[in-house]
Structure formats: C-alpha cells, structure tokens
Amino acid sequence: MKFTAVFAALAAFAVTQVSANASLVREFDTLGATDQGALHNCLNNYRTDNWDGMDCGGRGWFKGTHKYKSPENCYDACAGLLVAAIDRGASDVECDDNEGSARCWMGFH
C-alpha cells in the first residue's frame, strides 16, 4: 500500500514537470504487454546527463537532440507525459519537446 502511495505521489509530481511545448508524437500499445512497474523504474533512472539510449524494462529507451542543450531538461519536459503513457499500457512511445529552434525527443519502443 505504501508503494502505491509513493508511486502516485511521484507520478503526480512528474505530471507537473511537463513543458508547455512537449507532446507525445507517438503512442502505441501493439508491441505486447509491458511491465509498468519496471518501465516506471527505468524512467526514474533516465534523468541522466547524457543523450545515450539504454535497454531497460524489456524496452529500448532513447533520448536525442537537435540543438537542445540539456538532457535533464528534455527529461523534465517529457517525464510526465511518459508516466501517463506507461500508465495507459503503452509499449512504444515518443515525446518531443520544442524550444525555439531546439528540439529533443525521448521515449521507448
């Protein structure tokens, strides 16, 4: 029960961190069942200072940029949208954030 309450609080916080310019550009649930708990853990550990991808929770994660300065800012802009997509059972999702001429994208497939 405590885990559920903590998770709900973290999800609510993540939703408040969405950039006004961030949006989901792809969300599918056709790649099969997902382990939502594992995907949430992966997302929580993906706010790193890099643009590298990773394999986690049975999915390939990615984060990329075109002129976007900070991978942490990209995470902050998209995390809430990704939390909501995971909660809906998404198995393939991408969030883009556009800040002027700069763009970042992140998600998993």
Side-chain angles (χ1 to χ4, degrees), residues 11-24:
F13 173 75
V15 169
T16 66
Q17 300 302 305
V18 175
S19 164
N21 298 319
S23 63
L24 290 181

PDB file of all heavy atoms in Angstrom, residues 11-24:
ATOM      1  N   ALA A  11       4.248  10.139  -9.564  1.00  0.00           N
ATOM      2  CA  ALA A  11       3.584  10.349 -10.855  1.00  0.00           C
ATOM      3  C   ALA A  11       2.944  11.733 -10.913  1.00  0.00           C
ATOM      4  O   ALA A  11       3.027  12.420 -11.926  1.00  0.00           O
ATOM      5  CB  ALA A  11       2.539   9.260 -11.093  1.00  0.00           C
ATOM      6  N   ALA A  12       2.315  12.147  -9.830  1.00  0.00           N
ATOM      7  CA  ALA A  12       1.692  13.473  -9.794  1.00  0.00           C
ATOM      8  C   ALA A  12       2.750  14.561  -9.946  1.00  0.00           C
ATOM      9  O   ALA A  12       2.557  15.544 -10.664  1.00  0.00           O
ATOM     10  CB  ALA A  12       0.913  13.660  -8.493  1.00  0.00           C
ATOM     11  N   PHE A  13       3.897  14.384  -9.290  1.00  0.00           N
ATOM     12  CA  PHE A  13       4.989  15.340  -9.422  1.00  0.00           C
ATOM     13  C   PHE A  13       5.486  15.383 -10.863  1.00  0.00           C
ATOM     14  O   PHE A  13       5.697  16.453 -11.431  1.00  0.00           O
ATOM     15  CB  PHE A  13       6.141  14.986  -8.483  1.00  0.00           C
ATOM     16  CG  PHE A  13       7.359  15.848  -8.695  1.00  0.00           C
ATOM     17  CD1 PHE A  13       7.384  17.162  -8.248  1.00  0.00           C
ATOM     18  CD2 PHE A  13       8.459  15.358  -9.361  1.00  0.00           C
ATOM     19  CE1 PHE A  13       8.497  17.968  -8.467  1.00  0.00           C
ATOM     20  CE2 PHE A  13       9.567  16.158  -9.582  1.00  0.00           C
ATOM     21  CZ  PHE A  13       9.587  17.451  -9.129  1.00  0.00           C
ATOM     22  N   ALA A  14       5.667  14.217 -11.478  1.00  0.00           N
ATOM     23  CA  ALA A  14       6.173  14.156 -12.841  1.00  0.00           C
ATOM     24  C   ALA A  14       5.223  14.859 -13.802  1.00  0.00           C
ATOM     25  O   ALA A  14       5.663  15.544 -14.724  1.00  0.00           O
ATOM     26  CB  ALA A  14       6.387  12.704 -13.273  1.00  0.00           C
ATOM     27  N   VAL A  15       3.929  14.711 -13.607  1.00  0.00           N
ATOM     28  CA  VAL A  15       2.967  15.358 -14.487  1.00  0.00           C
ATOM     29  C   VAL A  15       3.091  16.863 -14.406  1.00  0.00           C
ATOM     30  O   VAL A  15       2.930  17.570 -15.392  1.00  0.00           O
ATOM     31  CB  VAL A  15       1.531  14.889 -14.172  1.00  0.00           C
ATOM     32  CG1 VAL A  15       0.499  15.737 -14.874  1.00  0.00           C
ATOM     33  CG2 VAL A  15       1.376  13.417 -14.557  1.00  0.00           C
ATOM     34  N   THR A  16       3.450  17.394 -13.236  1.00  0.00           N
ATOM     35  CA  THR A  16       3.607  18.841 -13.092  1.00  0.00           C
ATOM     36  C   THR A  16       4.868  19.344 -13.785  1.00  0.00           C
ATOM     37  O   THR A  16       5.033  20.536 -13.962  1.00  0.00           O
ATOM     38  CB  THR A  16       3.651  19.262 -11.612  1.00  0.00           C
ATOM     39  OG1 THR A  16       4.830  18.733 -11.006  1.00  0.00           O
ATOM     40  CG2 THR A  16       2.418  18.805 -10.875  1.00  0.00           C
ATOM     41  N   GLN A  17       5.764  18.420 -14.184  1.00  0.00           N
ATOM     42  CA  GLN A  17       7.028  18.809 -14.778  1.00  0.00           C
ATOM     43  C   GLN A  17       6.980  18.866 -16.307  1.00  0.00           C
ATOM     44  O   GLN A  17       7.993  18.998 -16.950  1.00  0.00           O
ATOM     45  CB  GLN A  17       8.131  17.832 -14.347  1.00  0.00           C
ATOM     46  CG  GLN A  17       8.340  17.770 -12.846  1.00  0.00           C
ATOM     47  CD  GLN A  17       8.673  19.127 -12.262  1.00  0.00           C
ATOM     48  OE1 GLN A  17       9.613  19.774 -12.703  1.00  0.00           O
ATOM     49  NE2 GLN A  17       7.906  19.573 -11.307  1.00  0.00           N
ATOM     50  N   VAL A  18       5.821  18.768 -16.892  1.00  0.00           N
ATOM     51  CA  VAL A  18       5.693  18.759 -18.349  1.00  0.00           C
ATOM     52  C   VAL A  18       5.869  20.173 -18.899  1.00  0.00           C
ATOM     53  O   VAL A  18       5.246  21.105 -18.426  1.00  0.00           O
ATOM     54  CB  VAL A  18       4.321  18.194 -18.768  1.00  0.00           C
ATOM     55  CG1 VAL A  18       4.139  18.302 -20.269  1.00  0.00           C
ATOM     56  CG2 VAL A  18       4.179  16.765 -18.304  1.00  0.00           C
ATOM     57  N   SER A  19       6.694  20.294 -19.917  1.00  0.00           N
ATOM     58  CA  SER A  19       6.876  21.572 -20.602  1.00  0.00           C
ATOM     59  C   SER A  19       5.633  21.884 -21.415  1.00  0.00           C
ATOM     60  O   SER A  19       4.986  20.996 -21.958  1.00  0.00           O
ATOM     61  CB  SER A  19       8.093  21.485 -21.529  1.00  0.00           C
ATOM     62  OG  SER A  19       8.087  22.538 -22.456  1.00  0.00           O
ATOM     63  N   ALA A  20       5.324  23.153 -21.539  1.00  0.00           N
ATOM     64  CA  ALA A  20       4.182  23.556 -22.360  1.00  0.00           C
ATOM     65  C   ALA A  20       4.416  23.205 -23.827  1.00  0.00           C
ATOM     66  O   ALA A  20       3.474  23.115 -24.599  1.00  0.00           O
ATOM     67  CB  ALA A  20       3.940  25.048 -22.207  1.00  0.00           C
ATOM     68  N   ASN A  21       5.670  23.009 -24.219  1.00  0.00           N
ATOM     69  CA  ASN A  21       5.995  22.711 -25.610  1.00  0.00           C
ATOM     70  C   ASN A  21       6.191  21.222 -25.875  1.00  0.00           C
ATOM     71  O   ASN A  21       6.471  20.829 -26.999  1.00  0.00           O
ATOM     72  CB  ASN A  21       7.259  23.464 -26.025  1.00  0.00           C
ATOM     73  CG  ASN A  21       7.061  24.961 -25.928  1.00  0.00           C
ATOM     74  OD1 ASN A  21       6.019  25.476 -26.286  1.00  0.00           O
ATOM     75  ND2 ASN A  21       8.060  25.662 -25.418  1.00  0.00           N
ATOM     76  N   ALA A  22       6.093  20.394 -24.856  1.00  0.00           N
ATOM     77  CA  ALA A  22       6.294  18.955 -25.016  1.00  0.00           C
ATOM     78  C   ALA A  22       4.985  18.289 -25.409  1.00  0.00           C
ATOM     79  O   ALA A  22       3.906  18.695 -24.987  1.00  0.00           O
ATOM     80  CB  ALA A  22       6.819  18.343 -23.719  1.00  0.00           C
ATOM     81  N   SER A  23       5.107  17.255 -26.233  1.00  0.00           N
ATOM     82  CA  SER A  23       3.922  16.498 -26.626  1.00  0.00           C
ATOM     83  C   SER A  23       4.316  15.088 -27.026  1.00  0.00           C
ATOM     84  O   SER A  23       5.454  14.836 -27.433  1.00  0.00           O
ATOM     85  CB  SER A  23       3.213  17.179 -27.794  1.00  0.00           C
ATOM     86  OG  SER A  23       4.052  17.208 -28.924  1.00  0.00           O
ATOM     87  N   LEU A  24       3.357  14.174 -26.893  1.00  0.00           N
ATOM     88  CA  LEU A  24       3.566  12.821 -27.378  1.00  0.00           C
ATOM     89  C   LEU A  24       3.339  12.829 -28.882  1.00  0.00           C
ATOM     90  O   LEU A  24       2.304  13.283 -29.350  1.00  0.00           O
ATOM     91  CB  LEU A  24       2.601  11.839 -26.719  1.00  0.00           C
ATOM     92  CG  LEU A  24       2.841  11.558 -25.234  1.00  0.00           C
ATOM     93  CD1 LEU A  24       1.815  10.553 -24.732  1.00  0.00           C
ATOM     94  CD2 LEU A  24       4.253  11.052 -24.975  1.00  0.00           C
TER      95      LEU A  24
END
